[in-house]
Amino acid sequence: MEWAKAEGADIVSMSLGSPVPDDGTDPMSQAVNSLSADGGPLFVIAAGNAYGAGTIGSPGSAEQALTIAAVDKRDARADFSSMGPLVRSHGLKPDLSAPGVDISAAASQSVPGTEGMYRSMSGTSMATPHVAGPAAILKQRHPDWTGQRIKDALMTSSKQLDAYTPYEQGTGRLDVKAAIGTTIEATGSVPVASYDWPHSPSDEVAERTITYRNAGDTDITLDLATDTDEAAYTLSTDTLTVPAGGTAEAVVSLDPAKVANDTTFSGQVLATDAAGATVAHTGFALTKEKELHDLTLKLRDRSGRPMGGLVVLAELGDPRLGLVQVSGGETTLRLPPGNYTAWASVDIDGDRPDSKAVAFLAAPETILTGSTTVTLDAYEARKVSVRTPKETETRQLRYDMARTSPDGTVQRDAFQIPLTYDQLWASPTKKVTQGSFSFLTRWRQGEELIDVEASGRDVPVFVQGGAAVAADSRRKLNAVYAGKGTPTDYQVLKARGKAVVITRSADVTPAERLAAALAAGAKALFVVNDERGVAM
């Protein structure tokens, strides 16, 4: 994104996104907002393909982004298309829809396995370029327009999809001809009016200003109305005259006192001309929470410092598991009262300088009745290990967790830990009061394939995949160090008949290391990992 702005791009099409729902505060979303400011480019970003409500992730959650949902050729919502509102903030996203089902497009010939010059795909990633192109056309016709004005023009001139709300499909389906041909522009959408629990009679009415612009040569009078008869949403005027070449404003008021708790609504303000044609429409939204409380999730590493990661969170008895992105060490959710389970599997440093570990951190029971903080702290974790009568090596390691509700519904997690990790840690937990919680580990140990001693001390080593190991033999070899194991590293060494020790480097492939050692006449090759964990 920084590169695109530095190169002078006016429109940036981004068919990517996180699967984790976001409220627009993720660093990627904040970067979009920052780069869009002060005449920056317009970022046209896919809404995502997570199917349900409240599933839009970063960077499509950015306020300044033009976030694109998908429809089929009949303007029906694509079932996979991610919908708003944004989590936590209830922000009004997506912004606009475009065709994204069974779209035929040029096939990149650089992708392995590609057959033919075209392929058909579905997704909001296919819808997004349909909008980026028209945005570029508008910029070409109006070089002085900012990204925000282009965004507004596309949103407010779109074809309304009466079967869907703005939270579902934005203000409508892209209409390129209307966007180019209209002389009336309006604000695409206004900020959501959001009211947190607990509510008060003194909650203020939210007032949101809509600006109308007339690019024509004559004044125009618009009739204004919302697309609902609900008394909670009122306009400052029913008619508005917009002068030729000028602007005029109207205010939509959203009164929380006139809606029930647990209301989430999105609609549009419609502007029609003297012929009764809708020439502009603007999205708005209101949310009035049911009883919800703050649940703050904190993640800490083994030294007690904040760390980022994904936390699995679910209410007891609900088999649907949610993923929460924790950035900067903590995040706060708004949740209804209940009994919640939270856990995370995170990478941490082990208790040796070169050790790489997995830590399973769990809070199996949090009864939420008010503002609560849950800390998943690797500092509190304890190392899980296994002892065998004889020296062994780990062939397979996994953990299994089960949180069972009183009615028998199970929330389960299982992870087969890659053998690049050499330690497993887990946090201690208190006994739950409702249902049960279990955590177990499964180890498969085997006789060491190779046992190495140096200066009378045992050296833990692991046989690389495909390596040959002599059976039931014992050898004593002198050792030399050959740097990264390139042919150059052997030039001043006498490695023939010796054990060669090298340091793993991404600059040298395993095949190149082996070839250089064989060429030098080495009897054995030992690769020391240049990172934490086991080099497999």
Side-chain angles (χ1 to χ4, degrees):
M1 294 188 297
E2 292 173 344
W3 172 85
K5 182 173 182 177
E7 290 294 308
D10 294 312
I11 311 297
V12 181
S13 182
M14 296 175 60
S15 292
L16 53 86
S18 167
V20 180
D22 180 59
D23 61 0
T25 59
D26 178 86
M28 185 75 76
S29 295
Q30 291 298 301
V32 170
N33 292 337
S34 177
L35 293 169
S36 300
D38 301 323
L42 173 63
F43 291 88
V44 185
I45 302 177
N49 307 317
Y51 289 82
T55 58
I56 294 175
S58 173
S61 56
E63 179 183 359
Q64 297 299 316
L66 179 54
T67 307
I68 308 303
V71 294
D72 64 17
K73 63 183 180 181
R74 297 181 179 84
D75 286 338
R77 175 183 172 271
D79 61 353
F80 55 76
S81 191
S82 293
M83 296 184 289
L86 298 183
V87 295
R88 296 181 289 274
S89 70
H90 306 284
L92 187 50
K93 289 284 180 176
D95 298 308
L96 192 64
S97 293
V101 177
D102 296 333
I103 303 301
S104 293
S108 171
Q109 300 306 295
S110 64
V111 177
T114 298
E115 296 182 4
M117 300 301 293
Y118 298 89
R119 64 183 303 184
S120 179
M121 296 179 68
S122 297
T124 55
S125 291
M126 302 305 286
T128 300
H130 280 109
V131 180
I137 292 172
L138 279 180
K139 182 65 176 179
Q140 184 181 43
R141 294 197 172 207
H142 306 283
D144 59 322
W145 281 18
T146 63
Q148 181 62 51
R149 187 167 176 183
I150 294 171
K151 174 181 174 179
D152 286 340
L154 291 170
M155 290 176 65
T156 198
S157 64
S158 61
K159 177 187 175 182
Q160 288 178 258
L161 303 178
D162 294 333
Y164 307 102
T165 69
Y167 271 143
E168 294 172 322
Q169 291 297 112
T171 57
R173 191 259 291 146
L174 172 77
D175 187 333
V176 185
K177 182 178 179 181
I180 293 172
T182 185
T183 57
I184 300 297
E185 305 161 43
T187 304
S189 65
V190 294
V192 62
S194 184
Y195 297 90
D196 293 347
W197 174 276
H199 303 300
S200 167
S202 61
D203 283 347
E204 295 184 356
V205 174
E207 295 185 342
R208 301 290 186 257
T209 300
I210 302 172
T211 300
Y212 295 88
R213 188 187 301 270
N214 180 5
D217 298 328
T218 59
D219 297 353
I220 186 169
T221 298
L222 302 174
D223 292 324
L224 304 182
T226 62
D227 59 356
T228 176
D229 295 329
E230 176 62 58
Y233 322 114
T234 58
L235 291 164
S236 58
T237 180
D238 294 332
T239 60
L240 184 70
T241 298
V242 188
T247 62
E249 295 179 345
V251 175
V252 57
S253 297
L254 302 103
D255 188 351
K258 295 182 179 179
V259 297
N261 295 347
D262 197 17
T263 292
T264 298
F265 176 86
S266 61
Q268 300 204 56
V269 175
L270 312 178
T272 56
D273 61 16
T278 300
V279 293
H281 47 96
T282 298
F284 68 91
L286 177 146
T287 180
K288 186 176 181 181
E289 284 185 340
K290 60 183 178 181
E291 182 181 354
L292 298 176
H293 301 286
D294 286 347
L295 177 63
T296 299
L297 296 173
K298 294 184 177 181
L299 269 180
R300 297 293 183 263
D301 64 17
R302 281 196 64 228
S303 63
R305 293 191 299 262
M307 68 182 300
L310 287 176
V311 174
V312 183
L313 180 71
E315 189 171 4
L316 184 63
D318 187 349
R320 298 169 300 175
L321 305 180
L323 284 177
V324 180
Q325 179 70 58
V326 177
S327 301
E330 68 177 78
T331 191
T332 298
L333 309 174
R334 298 282 290 172
L335 298 172
N339 187 335
Y340 289 89
T341 305
W343 71 89
S345 179
V346 297
D347 286 3
I348 61 169
D349 295 338
D351 59 1
R352 297 194 307 267
D354 60 351
S355 179
K356 181 180 180 181
V358 169
F360 177 79
L361 311 175
E365 184 170 75
T366 298
I367 298 177
L368 186 66
T369 57
S371 294
T372 302
T373 297
V374 172
T375 302
L376 301 177
D377 192 350
Y379 179 78
E380 302 290 340
R382 300 292 180 264
K383 185 165 69 171
V384 183
S385 59
V386 63
R387 284 189 217 154
T388 55
K390 293 184 179 181
E391 196 171 9
T392 60
E393 63 184 21
T394 301
R395 303 284 172 79
Q396 189 178 82
L397 171 59
R398 61 176 281 170
Y399 70 71
D400 290 88
M401 181 225 80
R403 178 69 170 104
T404 306
S405 67
D407 68 3
T409 302
V410 180
Q411 297 162 344
R412 190 181 302 279
D413 187 18
F415 180 33
Q416 182 157 313
I417 300 171
L419 295 180
T420 52
Y421 296 86
D422 57 358
Q423 291 183 6
L424 170 64
W425 293 63
S427 60
T429 63
K430 295 180 180 179
K431 187 174 181 178
V432 299
T433 62
Q434 300 176 22
S436 64
F437 171 74
S438 66
F439 175 77
L440 61 89
T441 59
R442 302 175 188 270
W443 304 72
R444 179 176 293 174
Q445 300 296 109
E447 181 181 1
E448 287 186 317
L449 293 177
I450 183 171
D451 188 47
V452 176
E453 290 182 6
S455 300
R457 294 189 308 170
D458 184 71
V459 179
V461 295
F462 301 88
V463 175
Q464 301 264 295
V469 179
D472 298 325
S473 66
R474 182 178 180 89
R475 297 186 183 183
K476 185 174 182 178
L477 300 173
N478 291 323
V480 292
Y481 178 66
K484 295 180 180 180
T486 66
T488 302
D489 291 319
Y490 286 93
Q491 287 180 354
V492 295
L493 290 178
K494 293 182 179 179
R496 184 166 300 280
K498 297 180 181 179
V500 174
V501 180
I502 67 171
T503 300
R504 192 204 77 89
S505 171
D507 299 332
V508 187
T509 67
E512 289 170 339
R513 293 181 211 133
L514 178 60
L518 290 173
K523 278 290 186 181
L525 177 64
F526 295 91
V527 182
V528 179
N529 197 4
D530 61 337
E531 300 174 343
R532 284 182 172 270
V534 179
M536 301 300 288

